[in-house]
Amino acid sequence: MDNKIRQELDKIEIPEDLHNRVILGMQKAKNENSSPVLNNSSSNKKTWSKRKKRIVSWGTVAVLMIIFFSSALVSPTMAKVISSIPYLGSVFQSKSIMTVIYEELVDKGYEIEGIGIGYDPQKKIMISIKGSDYYKEVKNEVKKIAVNKLNEKGYDAYTVEVDEFKERTDYVLNEEENAEKQLLEQKVEEKMMQLDYKFDMVQVDPTENAIFINIVGDKKYFQSIEKKVEKAGLEVTNANHYKDYRIIPTNTRVEFRVADNIAPVESAIAEGLLSKKEYKVTGVSYKREPLTFIISTSELSSNPQSKQLGAEIEGVIVEFLKSDEIADILANEEYSIIVNSKDNKKIN
């Protein structure tokens, strides 16, 4: 907890009757909950399943929150302190939005098969429910609860999608489809090498008439050859008498990074910025040596307001990183912040 908040809490005079009720409430919570409180980590996985249900005891915490917010109603100083908590700081100190929604649904007795977040092409919370009849019965209430939780957090960038969970069965290509796949993958790879394009994968899906070509390199290189790759791929399919194929260039990079002290900080920045429409953020990442936070937005650099948006995003992050709790984590490590436009230009 921030030092300023702790100092203000120490100054609060709790009425005797409220004090007695708090003591009784804490004792009751202690008696009813012998299991320890599970501490939430901001390194929550991006997907929860019913196999990872956890029971959390919040008796004492609830009592303390009553003191905290009830006192804020009667203490102008305390109210001012609460309002001064950095936005990203409040995100860092709370559970991830997926955890909040999942626990709320489970607490209300809903059987949830899985929950996840998608960012491309739209930001959405995805909730899966198993069983056709059960899905039809509860889907509207489940969506309503999830939307309410998003509204409570002020997260307006997400839509909520509730789907019926269906077991995945992998389709096995027949002999003709397999031959088509092998031929096109070989011919497309040869074409890419002939044109000297940097790539690491060609994947043909004859059931969808789609060819995925993963380009290796930075975003600028990818954008410079994306259309050329599509054209070259279509030349191959047409030359081999396979019409109606779609060529889909991708630029996916898989990075393996050992978890470090910055990971939970990045998670808070990502959730906070991605969850509000006003920031127009589409991606958050960081790199070490030197420590650099990289923010991608949907704003074009040609927009007269782009610089203002970049400065606002940087300001929110700096305010967060300078807070006592995060300053202790960074331990005086220098950092930089890069806010990029949709056309990959720095706007801060």
Side-chain angles (χ1 to χ4, degrees), residues 99-234:
T99 306
V100 169
I101 293 174
Y102 180 83
E103 291 183 350
E104 179 72 7
L105 291 171
V106 171
D107 186 57
K108 290 184 179 297
Y110 293 101
E111 297 178 11
I112 304 302
E113 185 67 24
I115 181 170
I117 291 184
Y119 295 106
D120 187 22
Q122 295 179 329
K123 299 172 185 176
K124 58 185 176 181
I125 305 290
M126 299 167 289
I127 303 171
S128 296
I129 300 173
K130 192 173 184 179
S132 181
D133 292 339
Y134 182 63
Y135 161 72
K136 292 175 183 176
E137 177 187 348
V138 304
K139 64 177 182 179
N140 291 334
E141 280 302 313
V142 166
K143 181 174 182 177
K144 182 179 178 181
I145 291 170
V147 169
N148 286 342
K149 285 298 171 183
L150 288 169
N151 290 340
E152 287 175 12
K153 297 274 286 185
Y155 290 175
D156 60 357
Y158 296 109
T159 58
V160 176
E161 185 177 286
V162 182
D163 292 322
E164 180 185 352
F165 175 80
K166 295 181 179 179
E167 297 287 350
R168 177 180 173 181
T169 55
D170 291 331
Y171 175 78
V172 179
L173 298 178
N174 60 38
E175 187 175 341
E176 182 180 351
E177 290 169 335
N178 199 46
E180 179 180 331
K181 171 182 169 65
Q182 292 182 16
L183 173 66
L184 288 178
E185 286 180 350
Q186 177 186 343
K187 295 298 183 181
V188 171
E189 286 178 1
E190 290 174 355
K191 186 71 171 180
M192 294 297 106
M193 289 187 285
Q194 177 188 340
L195 295 171
D196 200 27
Y197 293 150
K198 300 174 183 177
F199 72 101
D200 62 3
M201 184 202 74
V202 174
Q203 185 75 42
V204 175
D205 184 352
T207 65
E208 297 289 339
N209 282 7
I211 300 178
F212 301 88
I213 306 171
N214 194 60
I215 305 302
V216 176
D218 58 22
K219 190 174 181 179
K220 184 176 181 180
Y221 175 71
F222 172 72
Q223 291 175 338
S224 70
I225 67 169
E226 182 179 7
K227 296 299 182 183
K228 297 176 184 177
V229 168
E230 289 183 36
K231 181 180 177 182
L234 289 174

Side-chain angles (χ1 to χ4, degrees), residues 6 13 39 54 73-74 108 180 188 227 246 272 295 307 320 322:
R6 185 179 291 109
E13 294 184 9
N39 183 36
R54 298 179 179 181
L73 294 176
V74 298
K108 290 184 179 297
E180 179 180 331
V188 171
K227 296 299 182 183
R246 294 174 295 128
I295 315 299
K307 293 290 186 182
F320 172 52
K322 285 185 175 180

